């Protein structure tokens, strides 16, 4: 009996020592992981490591530059499980759906704040250039980040567009990139991006882009009778697919002690055409016209207040204007001249408080 009591006491002592040792090792590992120092674009940040619940598809840095794509919609074609809808050439709207859920179920976030549309809520991905983006990530769900607004969970899938933050190598204080693209459809697409270092903690950037194209291209149009005889076979030209668009974006970025901030402005102005249907062999005819103006200003502040507390503030004001006009008159199409505009504001405030195991205190 005494031997059993001694053996039981030894087992309890060994078990207690193992539990205490594992707790100490676990707390030390969590401390090292949570306070891992990362250097991001020349800024030292203490960022918590976390594992994604759902895997994400990401294109970033040099990968985006090697694609040589015109817009975000072109880059998203390389992701799996997505369908890009292109409504007619350069001037057509470009939307995306994930797992065939529909474009209205996909949330598009620019620097952490969701984008919208005054007419139908769908986001035209052709408006956003890759010149100003550092990363594009696609989630079949939402990303697992502690600073996650509730609005993110209202979408079955999400696309996050992360703008660039200026990086200056050595003693350089100015970065300038000038690009020009051309194509056979009378495309003229110059763009530039200017980055300026104001101080050790503050930098600014400004970018602009102009796109013009008549959108005229040749296509074959043929028809056969039920008996197999050729009714007609001709080469026609697609009309009314022109576009004239201007885009500009500016940002002011800075760092704080254990934090960062930025202010960003964006503007997009376009006038584009949409081809008319071919009715009774008529290839020419004025199609629909779409004019839109989109502006927004947004600010972001993220700071660690205490060793275990972190806060983030986001604010945005946006103005959207859309004018859609369809002048084609037939028995099935009604003359349309609609105008939509919307002013919206967003304010987000989030504080992260780590959850501690039972028996531990902050």
């Amino acid at each position: 009996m005494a031997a059993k009591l001694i053996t039981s006491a030894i087992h309890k002592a060994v078990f207690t020592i193992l539990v205490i040792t594992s707790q100490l090792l676990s707390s030390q590992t969590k401390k090292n992981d949570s306070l891992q120092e990362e250097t991001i674009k020349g800024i030292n940040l203490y960022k918590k490591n976390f594992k994604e619940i759902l895997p994400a598809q990401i294109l970033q840095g040099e990968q985006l530059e090697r694609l040589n794509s015109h817009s975000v919609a072109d880059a998203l074609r390389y992701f799996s499980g997505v369908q890009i809808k292109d409504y007619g050439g350069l001037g057509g709207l470009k939307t995306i759906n994930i797992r065939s859920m529909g474009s209205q179920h996909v949330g598009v976030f620019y620097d952490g704040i969701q984008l919208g549309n005054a007419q139908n809520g769908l986001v035209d991905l052709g408006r956003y250039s890759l010149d100003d983006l550092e990363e594009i990530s696609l989630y079949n769900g939402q990303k697992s980040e502690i600073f996650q607004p509730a609005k993110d969970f209202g979408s079955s899938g999400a696309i996050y567009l992360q703008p660039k933050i200026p990086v200056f190598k050595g003693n350089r204080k100015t970065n300038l990139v000038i690009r020009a693209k051309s194509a056979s459809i009378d495309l003229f697409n110059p763009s530039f991006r200017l980055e300026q270092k104001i101080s050790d903690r503050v930098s600014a950037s400004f970018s602009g882009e102009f796109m013009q194209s008549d959108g005229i291209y040749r296509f074959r149009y043929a028809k056969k009778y039920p008996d197999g005889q050729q009714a007609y076979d001709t080469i026609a030209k697609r009309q009314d697919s022109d576009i004239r668009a201007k885009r500009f974006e500016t940002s002011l970025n800075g760092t704080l002690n254990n934090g960062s901030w930025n202010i960003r402005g964006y503007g997009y102005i376009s006038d584009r055409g949409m081809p008319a249907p071919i009715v009774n062999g008529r290839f020419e005819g004025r199609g629909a016209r779409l004019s839109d103006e989109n502006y927004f200003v947004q600010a972001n502040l993220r700071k660690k207040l205490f060793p275990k507390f972190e806060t983030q503030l986001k604010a945005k004001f946006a103005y959207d204007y859309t004018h859609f006009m369809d002048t084609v008159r037939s028995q099935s199409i009604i003359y349309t001249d609609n105008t939509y505009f919307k002013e919206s504001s967003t304010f987000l405030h989030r504080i992260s408080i780590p959850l501690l195991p039972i028996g531990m205190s902050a």
Side-chain angles (χ1 to χ4, degrees), residues 189-218:
N189 180 209
S191 63
F192 77 94
R193 177 176 173 85
L194 174 64
E195 299 176 348
Q196 182 64 42
K197 183 177 182 180
I198 300 176
S199 66
D200 293 338
R201 287 179 172 265
V202 181
S203 63
S205 66
F206 183 80
S207 64
E209 181 181 12
F210 175 76
M211 178 183 291
Q212 180 176 351
S213 173
D214 58 13
I216 298 177
Y217 61 91
R218 297 161 64 91

Side-chain angles (χ1 to χ4, degrees), residues 9 20 61 114 193 201 240 261 302 309 333 340 351-352:
I20 295 174
Q114 189 170 7
R193 177 176 173 85
R201 287 179 172 265
D240 301 318
W261 60 271
R302 184 166 184 170
F309 295 86
I333 300 178
Y340 309 86
I351 299 178
S352 69

Side-chain angles (χ1 to χ4, degrees), residues 19-74:
V19 170
I20 295 174
T21 304
S22 62
Q23 288 289 340
L24 291 175
L25 292 176
S26 177
S27 63
Q28 184 67 26
T29 303
K30 289 181 179 179
K31 182 178 180 181
N32 293 335
D33 290 343
S34 62
L35 297 180
Q36 179 182 6
E37 183 177 1
E38 296 182 355
T39 303
I40 303 176
K41 304 177 184 62
I43 302 173
N44 292 329
L45 297 177
Y46 289 93
K47 186 176 181 180
K48 295 187 177 182
N49 283 344
F50 58 89
K51 293 183 179 180
E52 295 289 352
I53 298 177
L54 297 174
Q57 302 180 62
I58 299 176
L59 284 173
Q60 58 184 349
E62 296 181 357
Q63 293 177 328
L64 289 177
E65 296 181 0
R66 289 198 299 265
L67 292 181
N68 195 25
S69 300
H70 290 282
S71 64
V72 172
D74 298 330

Side-chain angles (χ1 to χ4, degrees), residues 115-341:
L115 299 172
N117 180 272
Q119 182 178 0
N120 49 27
L122 302 181
V123 179
D124 180 14
L125 298 174
R127 300 185 327 187
Y128 302 95
S129 174
L130 298 180
D131 295 345
D132 294 324
L133 294 181
E134 175 64 26
E135 179 181 289
I136 301 175
S137 55
L138 184 144
Y139 290 80
N140 187 21
Q142 297 79 30
K143 62 180 179 179
S144 306
E145 185 178 348
I146 190 169
F147 285 130
Q148 198 75 359
K151 200 171 185 179
D152 288 23
F153 296 90
S155 304
S156 62
I159 299 172
Y160 295 90
L161 309 178
Q162 182 60 42
K164 288 182 178 179
I165 297 178
V167 178
F168 303 94
K169 298 180 180 180
N171 297 325
R172 180 177 296 179
K173 294 185 177 181
T174 303
N175 297 330
L176 177 61
V177 178
I178 301 176
R179 294 185 175 92
K181 300 177 183 178
S182 181
S184 59
I185 53 177
D186 196 21
L187 172 66
F188 178 59
N189 180 209
S191 63
F192 77 94
R193 177 176 173 85
L194 174 64
E195 299 176 348
Q196 182 64 42
K197 183 177 182 180
I198 300 176
S199 66
D200 293 338
R201 287 179 172 265
V202 181
S203 63
S205 66
F206 183 80
S207 64
E209 181 181 12
F210 175 76
M211 178 183 291
Q212 180 176 351
S213 173
D214 58 13
I216 298 177
Y217 61 91
R218 297 161 64 91
F219 67 97
R220 183 177 179 180
Y221 190 70
K223 181 180 179 180
K224 291 185 178 181
Y225 292 113
D227 58 1
Q229 294 184 359
Q230 189 74 38
Y232 53 81
D233 188 352
T234 183
I235 300 297
K237 290 185 178 181
R238 172 64 74 187
Q239 305 286 339
D240 301 318
S241 185
D242 60 298
I243 182 173
R244 185 183 181 91
K246 299 179 284 292
R247 178 193 61 83
F248 60 87
E249 183 172 350
T250 182
S251 68
L252 192 64
N253 308 276
T255 59
L256 304 169
N257 294 330
N258 296 326
S260 62
W261 60 271
N262 68 74
I263 301 174
R264 191 174 308 278
Y266 174 88
Y268 183 82
I269 305 171
S270 72
D271 181 22
R272 64 187 84 179
M274 299 180 179
I278 300 174
V279 181
N280 296 329
R282 290 190 57 183
F283 297 95
E284 298 182 357
R286 186 177 180 183
R289 303 295 304 179
L290 178 65
S291 302
D292 53 0
E293 298 182 13
N294 306 98
Y295 309 96
F296 68 75
V297 178
Q298 64 184 44
N300 179 20
L301 171 64
R302 184 166 184 170
K303 182 174 176 58
K304 181 175 291 186
L305 301 177
F306 304 102
K308 295 181 180 295
F309 295 86
E310 190 172 354
T311 184
Q312 186 180 59
L313 297 173
K314 286 181 179 290
K316 177 180 179 180
F317 176 79
Y319 173 80
D320 298 315
Y321 168 85
T322 300
H323 180 209
F324 177 77
M325 182 173 61
D326 193 348
T327 59
V328 178
R329 300 190 182 188
S330 65
Q331 295 180 355
S332 58
I333 300 178
I334 302 175
Y335 178 85
T336 304
D337 189 351
N338 295 332
T339 301
Y340 309 86
F341 68 92

